[in-house]
């Protein structure tokens, strides 16, 4: 009997491990060149596993935002494809819709991402588009707003929120759709110190809850201690892909600032931005 | 942080805020039509009612007056044009040699009445938009446009709701452009056409860029016109508002 329970436990652990290794997103030879500038992304291939925390680092114009816009089908590639759970996101309208639900995107400019006239309505925008019943929408919105400490602001006009609160609302709007992957484009830009700390703790919490996170940034110092993987883009191509510990000393070659702890030779080279 | 405009919805808990938006639209329609037909006494009655509603709603008269600067200029032009172009008993004359300009008593009276009507209608609009949540406004537009053929009512509703939502942002962007130009001595440019072009081009650029980003954000969140439909909220006091509005409209026309 005891042996059977042990076996079962081992099998469950193994299944969980296999699930962790499962590729959620696979990007195959993705290319998108803007005809007017000749810039864009070239032949990008990589895959994202469940529970990973990936930093996509690169200087301005390296192709980070263009790459991200392909992950939920906002842009169509010239060649190559993005597979979500093995299915091309551009294969059908339902696949595209699924990709937009499963891959939540948080843009750099929160002002342009907030659609609702109140905090509550903005968080409800995504679930309403998924045609969920009103009862379920209310429950989801209540949960995410409470989780991000926005519930007391639920009736407020988003125009009156601070920069940090707007960024939190943008995250809440995406979380209410219950995505598997959360993609953030320069999440810490234009935020003051307390707002950045709040955002970082929110990101940490999201990762702990098992979500796959992909964050684009040129300032890796704030998030590198949480990341499990770093992809470096330059001129639209992947120049390096590996663990942050291995790549941290090389980032300055690609126009990315090396974190202070690493630069000063501290051990370990990667430490939390704020402890 | 973008500033709230005169037309931005403010949350409140008075009967006007909680009223079914369809009732508000019908009452607003009745008041606007009767206000357009009312004489001096009718307009005085409407002004008293509006003043009371502004007071109950908690809207500041001072900030309302200050927020309508361009409207006052427009009214000034209307009053002046009416006073100078309507024939009647002369109140004063200005001889410019080739042309003689006469200010008539009838013209001033007509101009003042038209301006008063415009002010009342404008105040009705402000009262409606500050007490109506844009998502209710969206429902109201859908409800109003639905019987009209060839107009996609859900799209029209969304457009109106987005316009109201983004008005503070557009004004904020306009201020940014204006401040940026002011800090580089833009005020020294006296040619009004050049000033408009210098202000308009970057502002339109910013607005279109924001609209593009908004469209992307909406697409990302699976935007569809066929989303979960919200219900109209009723307060239970609609019947009293219908009655009071009908009575007021009749009195305004008859007085």
């Amino acid at each position: 009997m005891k042996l059977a329970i042990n076996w079962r436990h081992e099998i469950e652990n193994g299944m969980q491990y296999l699930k962790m290794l499962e590729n959620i997103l696979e990007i195959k030879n993705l290319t998108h060149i803007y005809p007017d500038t000749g810039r864009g992304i070239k032949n990008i291939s990589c895959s994202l596993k469940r529970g990973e925390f990936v930093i996509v680092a690169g200087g301005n114009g390296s192709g980070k935002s263009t790459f991200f816009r392909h992950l939920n089908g906002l842009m169509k590639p010239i060649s190559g494809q993005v597979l979500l759970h093995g299915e091309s996101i551009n294969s059908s309208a339902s696949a595209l819709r699924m990709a937009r639900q499963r891959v939540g995107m948080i843009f750099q400019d929160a002002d342009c991402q907030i659609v609702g006239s109140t905090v509550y309505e903005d968080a409800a925008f995504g679930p309403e588009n998924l045609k969920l019943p009103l009862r379920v929408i209310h429950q989801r919105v209540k949960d995410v707003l409470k989780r991000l400490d926005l519930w007391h602001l639920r009736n407020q006009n988003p125009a009156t929120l601070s920069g940090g609160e707007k960024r939190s609302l943008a995250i809440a709007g995406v979380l209410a759709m219950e995505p598997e992957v959360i993609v953030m484009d320069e999440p810490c830009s234009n935020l003051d110190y307390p707002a950045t700390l709040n955002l970082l703790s929110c990101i940490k919490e999201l990762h702990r809850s098992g979500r796959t996170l992909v964050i684009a940034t040129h300032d890796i110092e704030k998030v590198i201690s949480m990341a499990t993987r770093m992809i470096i883009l330059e001129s639209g191509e992947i120049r390096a892909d590996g663990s942050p510990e291995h790549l941290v000393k090389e980032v300055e070659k690609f126009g990315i600032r090396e974190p202070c702890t690493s630069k000063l030779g501290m051990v370990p080279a990667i430490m939390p931005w704020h402890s | 942080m973008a500033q709230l405009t005169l037309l931005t919805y403010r949350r409140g808990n008075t009967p006007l805020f909680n009223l079914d938006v369809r009732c508000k639209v019908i009452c607003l329609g009745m008041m606007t039509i009767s206000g357009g037909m009312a004489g001096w006494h009718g307009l005085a009655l409407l002004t008293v009612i509006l003043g009371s509603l502004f007071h109950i709603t908690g809207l500041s008269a001072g900030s309302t007056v200050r927020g309508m600067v361009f409207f006052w200029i427009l009214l000034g032009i209307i009053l002046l044009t009416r006073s100078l172009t309507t024939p009647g008993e002369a109140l004063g004359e200005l001889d410019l040699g080739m042309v003689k300009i006469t200010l008539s008593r009838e013209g001033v009276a007509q101009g003042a009445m038209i301006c008063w009507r415009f002010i009342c209608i404008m105040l009705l609009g402000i009262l409606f938009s500050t007490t109506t949540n844009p998502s209710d406004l969206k429902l109201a537009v859908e409800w109003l446009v639905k019987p009209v053929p060839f107009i996609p009512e859900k799209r029209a509703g969304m457009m109106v709701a987005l316009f109201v939502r983004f008005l503070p942002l557009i004004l904020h962007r306009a201020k940014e452009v204006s401040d940026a130009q002011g800090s580089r001595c833009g005020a020294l440019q006296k040619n009004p056409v050049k000033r408009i072009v210098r202000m308009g081009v970057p502002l339109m650029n910013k607005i279109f860029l924001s609209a593009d980003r908004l469209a992307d954000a909406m697409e990302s969140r699976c935007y569809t016109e066929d989303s979960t439909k919200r219900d109209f909220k009723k307060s239970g006091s609609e019947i009293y508002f219908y009655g009071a509005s009908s009575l007021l409209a009749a009195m305004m026309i008859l007085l």
Side-chain angles (χ1 to χ4, degrees):
Chain A
M1 183 68 176
K2 199 177 173 185
L3 194 70
I5 290 170
N6 275 346
W7 267 102
R8 199 172 163 184
H9 187 68
E10 288 292 316
I11 288 168
E12 274 175 8
N13 275 351
M15 291 289 280
Q16 217 164 5
Y17 181 67
L18 281 174
K19 217 176 174 186
M20 286 281 284
L21 289 181
E22 179 197 338
N23 283 335
I24 296 183
L25 274 171
E26 282 176 78
I27 296 107
K28 291 184 173 173
N29 307 315
L30 203 66
T31 299
H32 190 116
I33 307 287
Y34 297 105
D36 45 348
T37 58
R39 284 182 176 181
I41 49 171
K42 294 159 205 157
N43 209 26
I44 286 186
S45 295
C46 61
S47 54
L48 301 174
K49 290 183 172 44
R50 189 180 296 277
E52 272 192 314
F53 187 132
V54 185
I55 296 178
V56 177
N60 292 340
S62 58
K64 302 187 294 288
S65 298
T66 306
F67 173 49
F68 275 19
R69 274 159 199 267
H70 285 83
L71 297 183
N72 71 349
L74 279 179
M75 288 178 94
K76 281 192 177 172
I78 292 171
S79 64
Q81 56 181 345
V82 177
L83 307 175
L84 177 68
H85 293 299
E87 189 186 355
S88 170
I89 63 168
N90 290 314
S91 62
S92 65
S94 63
L96 186 61
R97 192 175 170 77
M98 181 58 82
R100 287 182 180 162
Q101 185 195 344
R102 291 285 160 216
V103 183
M105 183 158 302
I106 293 154
F107 295 83
Q108 197 174 342
D109 185 1
D111 262 326
C112 298
Q113 186 171 359
I114 296 167
V115 182
S117 51
T118 63
V119 167
Y120 183 96
E121 280 170 18
D122 187 69
F125 181 76
E128 278 176 4
N129 288 330
L130 298 177
K131 299 177 200 171
L132 299 173
L134 282 170
R135 187 180 43 80
V136 178
I137 293 173
H138 177 71
Q139 196 53 50
R140 281 197 188 187
V141 171
K142 194 175 171 185
D143 287 347
V144 293
L145 291 184
K146 282 193 169 173
R147 195 168 157 189
L148 294 169
D149 199 23
L150 291 170
W151 182 245
H152 63 291
L153 301 170
R154 63 189 178 280
N155 294 316
Q156 208 152 311
N157 187 327
T160 62
L161 300 181
S162 68
E165 287 166 343
K166 281 180 187 167
R167 198 62 55 97
S168 295
L169 179 56
I171 296 174
V174 167
L175 282 183
M177 296 175 76
E178 299 192 341
E180 285 179 88
V181 183
I182 298 174
V183 179
M184 297 184 183
D185 195 357
E186 301 282 1
C188 299
S189 63
N190 300 324
L191 292 186
D192 62 11
Y193 180 56
T196 308
L197 288 182
N198 276 341
L199 180 71
L200 292 179
S201 77
C202 171
I203 290 173
K204 204 175 201 173
E205 165 61 24
L206 287 174
H207 188 224
R208 265 199 207 133
S209 68
R211 291 218 163 71
T212 307
L213 293 175
V214 191
I215 291 182
T217 184
H218 60 269
D219 180 15
I220 60 173
E221 184 150 26
K222 290 173 185 133
V223 285
I224 195 167
S225 67
M226 295 185 263
T228 56
R229 181 177 167 194
M230 184 152 69
I231 294 172
I232 296 175
L233 282 182
E234 191 188 44
S235 307
E237 291 179 76
I238 293 182
R239 300 288 188 206
D241 182 354
S243 74
E245 290 80 12
H246 284 110
L247 295 177
V248 72
K249 286 283 173 199
E250 295 175 39
V251 293
E252 294 217 339
K253 283 194 291 192
F254 306 105
I256 304 156
R257 186 173 158 272
E258 188 183 338
C260 286
T261 47
S262 167
K263 221 169 190 176
L264 296 171
M266 291 167 83
V267 180
I270 296 172
M271 288 193 214
W273 184 62
H274 176 82
S275 51
Chain B
M1 200 183 287
Q3 267 195 321
L4 296 182
T5 65
L6 202 59
L7 299 170
T8 311
Y9 166 67
R10 291 155 176 82
R11 192 176 158 71
N13 208 22
T14 56
L16 214 53
F17 283 97
N18 299 325
L19 207 61
D20 185 336
V21 68
R22 291 170 294 184
C23 173
K24 274 193 217 177
V25 169
I26 291 170
C27 293
L28 178 74
M30 279 199 280
M31 291 294 105
T32 308
I33 292 167
S34 51
M37 292 163 75
W40 294 107
H41 293 102
L43 286 172
L45 179 64
L46 181 60
T47 308
V48 171
I49 300 284
L50 278 171
S52 313
L53 289 173
F54 264 70
H55 180 70
I56 294 166
T57 311
L59 290 170
S60 147
S63 65
T64 308
V65 170
R66 278 194 301 276
M68 290 163 63
V69 176
F70 292 108
F71 186 67
W72 297 127
I73 295 170
L74 176 75
L75 291 184
I77 294 169
I78 291 171
L79 182 64
L80 196 67
T81 315
R82 276 278 169 173
S83 309
L84 297 176
T85 55
T86 308
E89 185 192 336
L91 281 176
E93 272 186 2
L94 186 64
D95 197 350
L96 297 173
M98 299 272 283
V99 197
K100 201 186 254 181
I101 299 172
T102 312
L103 195 72
S104 71
R105 182 184 294 276
E106 286 78 1
V108 172
Q110 275 187 23
M113 185 176 276
I114 291 169
C115 289
W116 198 355
R117 282 180 183 151
F118 273 132
I119 292 168
C120 287
I121 291 167
M122 184 73 181
L123 293 179
L124 279 168
I126 291 171
L127 206 56
F128 176 77
S129 62
T130 48
T131 59
T132 307
N133 187 328
S135 62
D136 290 337
L137 185 64
K138 179 176 169 256
L139 287 178
V141 173
E142 285 177 20
W143 173 72
L144 269 177
V145 174
K146 201 171 182 180
V148 184
F150 309 117
I151 297 182
E153 73 271 10
K154 293 203 167 167
R155 205 170 299 169
M158 193 53 162
M159 280 165 67
V160 172
L162 285 179
F163 175 73
V164 174
R165 154 75 185 91
F166 280 90
L167 195 59
L169 189 66
I170 292 169
L171 295 177
H172 180 65
R173 299 265 195 257
K175 188 161 186 321
E176 274 179 351
V177 174
S178 164
D179 286 350
Q181 295 193 357
S183 67
R184 289 192 289 157
C185 302
L188 296 178
Q189 175 59 258
K190 296 295 175 204
N191 185 333
V193 178
K194 276 189 182 173
R195 283 181 76 160
I196 289 170
V197 170
R198 284 183 182 175
M199 176 78 189
V201 172
L203 179 61
M204 292 313 282
N205 199 7
K206 271 175 180 272
I207 290 172
F208 285 130
L209 196 64
S210 298
D212 259 357
R213 287 176 181 162
L214 171 70
D216 276 352
M218 287 171 71
E219 283 287 311
S220 283
R221 290 163 80 187
C222 302
Y223 172 67
T224 169
E225 285 177 3
D226 192 23
S227 60
T228 307
K229 199 171 182 296
R230 284 166 189 253
D231 293 328
F232 287 104
K233 285 176 240 157
K234 288 179 187 166
S235 68
S237 55
E238 283 78 15
I239 188 77
Y240 306 113
F241 275 86
Y242 282 129
S245 299
S246 307
L247 186 68
L248 183 64
M251 282 171 74
M252 274 161 50
I253 294 168
L254 294 174
L255 275 174

